[in-house]
Amino acid sequence: MAGPMHVVQMLTPDGRRVDHEEDPALAAHAATLTAEDLRGMYRDMALARRVDVEATALQRQGELGLWASLLGQEAAQVGSARATLPQDRLFPTYREHAVAMVRGVDPAHVLSLFRGVDRGGWDVEATGVSPYALVIGSQTLHATGYAMGVQRDGAVGTGDPARDACVLAYFGDGASSQGDVNEAFVFATAYQAPVVFVCQNNQWAISVPAERQTRVPIAQRASGFGFPGVRVDGNDVVACYAVVRAAAERARAGEGPTLVEAFTYRMGAHTTSDDPGRYRPSVEVEQWRARDPLTRLEAHLRRDHGADDAFFADVAREGDTAASRLRRAVLEMPDPEPGSMFDHAYAAEHPQVEEERAWYAAYLAGLDGEEGRPA
């Protein structure tokens, strides 16, 4: 069994910068972050957390069918998303709400998916964020295939920063046990595809702890496939930014894939249908609470960048306003026309789809006037 793997960290849990202890290239990326950038990162994380809290409440009140909380994983998501360029494409799971928000996705469009009124309402081309993936690990294959297409389009290794692009594929520690993820690794390294695999290791694949899934750090698995792996403190937004930015630049330059393991913790339940109290000890949760990513960045901003109570109060008010707007938007979402599910199955009309549409319309017509359905 391999020994422990180095974890890249640039902000300690009490908010002190420790860049000098890391790779100079990574420290140089971190050094590009201005005080305004760091305030923006804090705002992104705080707004994502407030949206997450509101979405959880909406689900508990019966307004959403399900919700997958990101609580505790804000730094890994915001840091990695902010490391991308507009031409990059991101492939999320069903928990990357902060990633979506950083890239300009309206949270209401995310919640419309969990309310069941559409299949993902945002503009993929405008935001660069592909639809959420529920099938565990499937998005890593989608991302790798897309990255190979980017490569064939000549948008890799040209030296033009406005043209060269990369792809980010998000997945969790549980997905690392899936065949799809390992197949994506094989294709990515064989073709030197410009893809960065971002594994948010939140320690629990529903109720199965990470140590039950792997004998070595997840990032170390990359060496077996022939590409680099890096483990980063997933609660340190500065380190997450620096590591993913370096990996993304490597991918855009045509140097192939990188696996980034963001070592973090899922503070809440796997989804709102889960009870984590049945399988994990509360003392573990409290230990990770002391490493909270927002508290860490707040301490740093107060100590080194002059952020005061007024700044944090403004962010909190903005979060409450966003949550109120989100709640109103969710409650006002119209139910979809039942036949609309057939509209975008294919780009053009398809005989089988049209046959199914006609059958379903006849079926619904036959229900008119029955109890529970208005005539």
Side-chain angles (χ1 to χ4, degrees), residues 331-375:
L331 297 180
E332 292 175 354
M333 287 176 183
D335 290 336
E337 175 62 33
S340 66
M341 72 174 77
F342 300 97
D343 289 348
H344 302 293
Y346 292 95
E349 287 190 5
H350 188 285
Q352 184 175 347
V353 173
E354 295 308 309
E355 180 182 345
E356 292 172 349
R357 185 201 299 271
W359 178 90
Y360 190 58
Y363 168 75
L364 292 177
L367 297 178
D368 286 346
E370 294 185 6
E371 183 178 355
R373 181 177 177 84

Side-chain angles (χ1 to χ4, degrees), residues 62-263:
E63 301 297 342
L64 302 179
L66 186 74
W67 182 249
S69 173
L70 59 67
L71 185 63
Q73 298 179 219
E74 296 89 352
Q77 295 189 18
V78 169
S80 60
R82 275 187 166 250
T84 62
L85 297 178
Q87 65 266 30
D88 298 335
R89 176 63 70 90
L90 287 65
F91 286 77
T93 69
Y94 46 81
R95 200 185 302 276
E96 273 70 62
H97 318 311
V99 170
M101 290 173 65
V102 168
R103 295 284 299 204
V105 175
D106 186 334
H109 287 160
V110 175
L111 268 64
S112 67
L113 180 65
F114 288 89
R115 189 169 170 85
V117 300
D118 61 35
R119 293 172 291 281
W122 60 87
D123 186 331
V124 172
E125 293 304 317
T127 62
V129 179
S130 291
Y132 277 15
L134 183 60
V135 178
I136 306 300
S138 62
Q139 72 282 357
T140 58
L141 286 173
H142 305 158
T144 300
Y146 190 94
M148 291 167 65
V150 169
Q151 192 178 49
R152 282 154 179 73
D153 285 344
V156 178
T158 70
D160 181 354
R163 176 173 175 79
D164 288 341
C166 74
V167 176
L168 265 63
Y170 290 90
F171 62 99
D173 50 293
S176 71
S177 300
Q178 292 288 108
D180 282 4
V181 173
N182 291 273
E183 290 167 12
F185 289 173
V186 170
F187 272 87
T189 190
Y191 290 93
Q192 287 292 279
V195 57
V196 179
F197 296 103
V198 181
C199 174
Q200 292 175 83
N201 180 358
N202 66 19
Q203 312 301 312
W204 290 93
I206 308 183
S207 60
V208 179
E211 61 264 23
R212 292 270 303 275
Q213 300 176 68
T214 179
R215 295 282 185 175
V216 300
I218 291 172
Q220 194 169 317
R221 290 183 179 182
S223 63
F225 292 90
F227 61 93
V230 183
R231 177 178 267 195
V232 60
D233 183 342
N235 287 16
D236 175 353
V237 69
V238 174
C240 289
Y241 170 86
V243 167
V244 174
R245 180 172 171 182
E249 289 188 353
R250 181 175 177 275
R252 295 188 202 104
E255 298 176 16
T258 302
L259 172 58
V260 175
E261 177 192 359
F263 197 75

Side-chain angles (χ1 to χ4, degrees), residues 16-34:
R16 290 180 295 106
R17 286 290 284 265
V18 287
D19 300 38
H20 61 281
E21 299 178 8
E22 296 298 342
D23 182 329
L26 294 180
H29 284 309
T32 65
L33 293 171
T34 65

Side-chain angles (χ1 to χ4, degrees), residues 284-370:
E284 178 180 284
V285 178
E286 292 308 311
Q287 287 172 346
W288 277 93
R289 198 181 304 281
R291 307 171 191 173
D292 182 270
L294 272 75
T295 302
R296 181 182 307 203
L297 184 54
E298 177 180 348
H300 175 64
L301 286 170
R302 287 183 182 276
R303 175 187 292 112
D304 295 338
H305 296 287
D308 56 13
D309 290 345
F311 166 74
F312 296 104
D314 285 345
V315 172
R317 279 192 294 270
E318 186 178 356
D320 289 341
T321 300
S324 178
R325 186 185 308 117
L326 178 63
R327 172 173 288 273
R328 185 166 56 253
V330 168
L331 297 180
E332 292 175 354
M333 287 176 183
D335 290 336
E337 175 62 33
S340 66
M341 72 174 77
F342 300 97
D343 289 348
H344 302 293
Y346 292 95
E349 287 190 5
H350 188 285
Q352 184 175 347
V353 173
E354 295 308 309
E355 180 182 345
E356 292 172 349
R357 185 201 299 271
W359 178 90
Y360 190 58
Y363 168 75
L364 292 177
L367 297 178
D368 286 346
E370 294 185 6

